[in-house]
Amino acid sequence: MSNRKYTEEFKAEAIKQVTERGYKVREVCGRLGISSKSLYLWLRLARKSNGKHSQSNDNELKQEIVRLKSELKRAEEEKRSETS
C-alpha cells in the first residue's frame, strides 16, 4: 500500500475523466495507476464541495433567467410596436 501524495491538478484531471468525459472509474484508475478507492474518495469530496457552491450558483442562475426573460419580453414588445 502506497502513501503517495497527488497534486490537486492530478486529482481534478482524474475526476474530470469520469464526470465530464464519461470514462469508467476502472479505466481511469488503470491508466493513471491509482486505486479505485482513492478515485471514489476524490469524486465524493468533489461532489460534496460542488454542492456547497451550487446553491449560490443556483441563485445566480435564477437571477440571470429572470433578467433574460425580462429582456426578451421587452424586445418582443418593441418588435410588436414597430410592426403596428
Side-chain angles (χ1 to χ4, degrees):
M1 188 154 101
S2 168
N3 284 334
R4 192 164 170 207
K5 297 281 184 183
Y6 298 99
T7 66
E8 291 304 314
E9 293 82 15
F10 181 88
K11 293 176 185 179
E13 179 57 32
I15 291 166
K16 259 188 216 179
Q17 288 187 29
V18 174
T19 59
E20 295 177 14
R21 297 186 189 125
Y23 290 106
K24 292 182 167 60
V25 169
R26 185 179 56 216
E27 293 176 64
V28 175
C29 290
R31 231 185 356 264
L32 299 179
I34 58 176
S35 72
S36 59
K37 183 178 178 179
S38 293
L39 184 50
Y40 279 118
L41 173 65
W42 301 342
L43 286 164
R44 189 171 59 244
L45 293 173
R47 287 183 182 123
K48 190 182 286 188
S49 73
N50 285 342
K52 291 176 186 175
H53 298 301
S54 70
Q55 288 178 345
S56 63
N57 289 344
D58 287 347
N59 290 335
E60 291 172 12
L61 289 174
K62 287 175 186 176
Q63 290 173 350
E64 180 70 3
I65 289 169
V66 168
R67 187 188 68 76
L68 290 171
K69 283 182 177 181
S70 172
E71 189 175 316
L72 176 62
K73 185 177 178 181
R74 189 181 73 243
E76 288 173 339
E77 289 172 354
E78 286 176 5
K79 186 175 179 181
R80 273 192 230 121
S81 65
E82 288 175 2
T83 59
S84 300

